Amino acid sequence: WVLMVTAQTPTNIAVIKYWGKRDEDLILAINDSISVTLDPAHLCTTTTVAVSPAFDQDRMWLNGKEISLSGGRYQNCLREIRARASDVEDENKGIKIAKKDWQNLHVHVASYNNFPTAAGLASSAAGFACLVFSLAKLMNVQEDNGKLSAIARQGSGSACRSLYGGFVKWIMGKEENGGDSIAVQLVDEKHWDELVIIIAVVSSRQKETSSTSGMRDTVETSALIEHRAKVVVPKRIIQMEEAIQNRDFPTFAQLTCADSNQFHAVCMDTSPPIFYMNDTSHRVISCVEKWNRSEGTPQVAYTFDAGPNAVLIARNRKAATLMLQRLLFHFPPNSDTDLNSYVIGDKSI
Ligand code: DP6
């Protein structure tokens, strides 16, 4: 027999960024972060997990290619979920798995991203969140999403925020064992549903510096990171939470853009410097800044993760349509585009 579960998890985009760890193994951050979870129809991971007595080892396929599960991050997630497994019974199939049996059963995992892996579009966030969620369903884990977020966090920090929709805060926590380093939902997806997110894919190439090694170098070498983590971000977190509660777009946009820019500034302040954005990214920033200024009030916020792709958050559909027209004019597409989806502007590559 084979028992299977399939789950789908959207990715999330940080508007106040996580950058830097205080514990590399447990993945504990040096500051709180806030993100928005995307619509599952757009950027998401779909994962099927299966268990069978015929499986002789844990195995995983990502986008159809087998990958190794030997890394500590996968092992930590598998161990934490297995430790919380409960009895499972499927009467139709005549399957009965007792809690203790899970320690000896192996799983097969097949995961697909509907967007470029490791191109700075937070694919590890959706990936680990989906892995942990689907394994938890398969093994009948009786924990709430907060506890599951702390397990997904051990796969990839940003993954803990993908267990919820809407706006989500990852509380860095204080405990040594990371027990209080969990994600909480600030507001659900209906709270601010006028917002429209456009992902402008500048390049789908794999990023040169992974987030993991990039943030390690920043913590070790940047003179600015401590000021960011201890002084700037705590203040911004409070302001951002308030802006989200009040649906105050001008404040939200100002904080989002400033935090993205500061994150890239600390990357530049790292030795050797890390450049995630390219000329096209910089031109997108100028385009948005100019338009926002000419309108007198912000219409669109921009944010860039560990790659050159722009995430643009428009205040409503009208602003998104106008933004898209501007992008199409300045960055002619070389692939199909539609609102909410990809714009390919490949001018400088
Ligand atoms: C720039 O979560 O990918 O997207 O915890 O080492 O797996 P690891 O890093 P990861 O870093 C994400 C960094 C970011 C900002 C953010 O999502 O908050």
Side-chain angles (χ1 to χ4, degrees):
W1 54 260
V2 181
L3 196 62
M4 275 195 279
V5 167
T6 297
Q8 209 169 51
T9 309
T11 194
N12 71 78
I13 302 293
V15 290
I16 300 291
K17 308 285 186 200
Y18 144 55
W19 197 251
K21 296 183 182 70
R22 62 187 170 90
D23 185 312
E24 291 245 350
D25 295 326
L26 289 169
I27 311 196
L28 300 175
I30 57 170
N31 58 257
D32 293 349
S33 54
I34 294 179
S35 62
V36 57
T37 298
L38 301 191
D39 186 325
H42 299 293
L43 296 166
C44 74
T45 299
T46 306
T47 300
T48 299
V49 289
V51 62
S52 167
F55 298 163
D56 58 359
Q57 54 174 314
D58 293 335
R59 294 175 75 181
M60 176 162 176
W61 291 262
L62 179 58
N63 297 325
K65 228 178 107 196
E66 183 156 15
I67 59 162
S68 164
L69 280 177
S70 62
R73 291 172 171 220
Y74 285 108
Q75 289 304 318
N76 288 349
C77 291
L78 281 162
R79 190 196 56 243
E80 295 285 315
I81 291 289
R82 269 203 180 98
R84 292 170 175 79
S86 322
D87 298 349
V88 171
E89 199 171 341
D90 186 326
E91 280 180 13
N92 295 335
K93 290 186 175 166
I95 301 171
K96 239 181 163 170
I97 307 171
K99 190 179 159 85
K100 60 169 177 25
D101 295 341
W102 285 109
Q103 298 302 328
N104 306 315
L105 283 165
H106 293 286
V107 290
H108 283 187
V109 181
S111 199
Y112 287 89
N113 290 331
N114 69 345
F115 54 94
T117 301
L121 282 174
S123 56
S124 67
F128 276 104
C130 205
L131 175 73
V132 165
F133 188 80
S134 50
L135 284 173
K137 288 283 162 243
L138 180 75
M139 299 188 189
N140 194 18
V141 171
Q142 306 288 320
E143 301 275 11
D144 60 14
N145 273 10
K147 186 72 221 175
L148 293 184
S149 79
I151 301 176
R153 189 205 74 227
Q154 296 174 56
S156 181
S158 52
C160 72
R161 300 184 309 235
S162 269
L163 265 301
Y164 298 97
F167 281 93
V168 182
K169 172 157 94 162
W170 171 13
I171 302 167
M172 62 181 278
K174 289 192 185 77
E175 287 172 22
E176 293 258 304
N177 68 4
D180 58 349
S181 186
I182 60 166
V184 294
Q185 187 180 53
L186 294 176
V187 294
D188 70 14
E189 49 281 4
K190 288 192 261 350
H191 172 77
W192 203 351
D193 61 0
E194 309 92 274
L195 296 180
V196 177
I197 299 178
I198 302 172
I199 314 275
V201 176
V202 169
S203 165
S204 56
R205 277 191 316 200
Q206 188 133 349
K207 58 196 176 196
E208 275 162 34
T209 311
S210 74
S211 309
T212 309
S213 71
M215 65 177 84
R216 183 185 305 134
D217 291 349
T218 300
V219 168
E220 278 169 12
T221 64
S222 166
L224 301 179
I225 188 69
E226 194 171 329
H227 179 69
R228 166 175 165 74
K230 293 214 170 118
V231 181
V232 182
V233 173
K235 220 161 119 194
R236 280 188 185 154
I237 290 279
I238 296 168
Q239 294 168 331
M240 182 58 98
E241 282 193 52
E242 203 175 299
I244 291 167
Q245 290 297 345
N246 299 332
R247 292 189 281 267
D248 169 0
F249 190 78
T251 307
F252 171 81
Q254 187 271 322
L255 290 167
T256 299
C257 299
D259 202 68
S260 171
N261 291 335
Q262 189 179 69
F263 154 52
H264 291 278
V266 298
C267 286
M268 189 100 94
D269 188 48
T270 299
S271 175
I274 309 165
F275 307 104
Y276 285 125
M277 294 195 283
N278 64 17
D279 285 356
T280 308
S281 322
H282 293 146
R283 286 176 49 226
V284 171
I285 294 181
S286 301
C287 175
V288 174
E289 290 278 356
K290 258 188 222 142
W291 185 41
N292 281 344
R293 224 162 309 132
S294 72
E295 291 289 319
T297 180
Q299 302 298 310
V300 171
Y302 55 81
T303 185
F304 296 74
D305 278 342
N309 301 315
V311 177
L312 304 171
I313 308 177
R315 68 183 310 157
N316 52 34
R317 282 201 92 72
K318 186 169 161 237
T321 309
L322 292 171
M323 183 71 240
L324 206 57
Q325 280 170 4
R326 271 164 196 267
L327 286 174
L328 293 174
F329 178 75
H330 291 288
F331 310 91
N334 55 21
S335 151
D336 289 346
T337 62
D338 73 89
L339 208 57
N340 266 328
S341 178
Y342 301 124
V343 177
I344 315 284
D346 223 349
K347 278 215 159 157
S348 66
I349 303 158

